[in-house]
Amino acid sequence: MPVVALALFAAFAAVGFGWRSWVQWRHTGSTGFNGVSGRPGSPEWFAGAGFLVSIAAAVAAPALQWAGVVAPIAALQLPPIQWLGIALAVLGIGGTATAQLQMGDSWRIGVDPGETTALVRTGVFGWVRNPIFTAMLVFGAGIALVTPNGVAILGFLLLLITIQMQVRLVEEPYLLTRHGESYRDYLVGVSRFLPGIGRRT
């Protein structure tokens, strides 16, 4: 199963980062990578840096299990759980790619405070405000279940925390500044990660 987890992660990286960045570059002349926001040590910086660490943990977990450095959690090392993990990971890859495509030229990784892109509110963005992050969390949960060891679980928890920080501390304030009342209406009408949960009132 560690080999399966690494293969799934390679597919996720190829589709969600490599291929999407190439498409963005072809359309706009930019790869869409804006880097980590905030000064070192700030909450914004911790959100971006923590996200990178969580990705590293997601790769390290199956590699370490494969090498025999860490052992899987026995209660979770069951074929039905691992197959569920594979299904979730595949769903996460597909969901990430779909949301990225629907975001069009507005797609970015990180925030450039001096840049304004169109506010996308159609397609899956009409269901939740952050469908890419939702799909990434589905993928992360799946990978953690394929090789359910301590590193994988901690990596997923860090991913969950840092995505919340990135959305709440970086992206939502930026979008409010750039789009004003239009984004306020979006906050009220559409949930943050899951339909019906996380609307502003």
Side-chain angles (χ1 to χ4, degrees), residues 75-100:
L76 298 176
Q77 185 73 357
L78 301 170
I81 291 177
Q82 293 176 306
W83 282 107
L84 173 62
I86 292 171
L88 288 174
V90 171
L91 180 63
I93 293 170
T96 299
T98 298
Q100 286 178 334

Side-chain angles (χ1 to χ4, degrees), residues 102 118-129 181-190:
Q102 291 187 9
L119 179 61
V120 180
R121 299 180 59 170
T122 57
V124 292
F125 291 87
W127 301 345
V128 293
R129 301 196 304 268
E181 197 61 36
S182 178
Y183 189 67
R184 288 188 182 90
D185 291 343
Y186 190 39
L187 292 174
V188 172
V190 179

Side-chain angles (χ1 to χ4, degrees), residues 13 23 28 44 52-53 56 58 60 64 73 90 95 101 117 127-128 151 169 176 193:
V23 170
T28 69
E44 296 86 355
L52 295 176
V53 172
L64 291 172
I73 299 168
V90 171
L101 283 174
T117 57
W127 301 345
V128 293
V151 175
L169 300 179
L176 274 170
F193 296 111

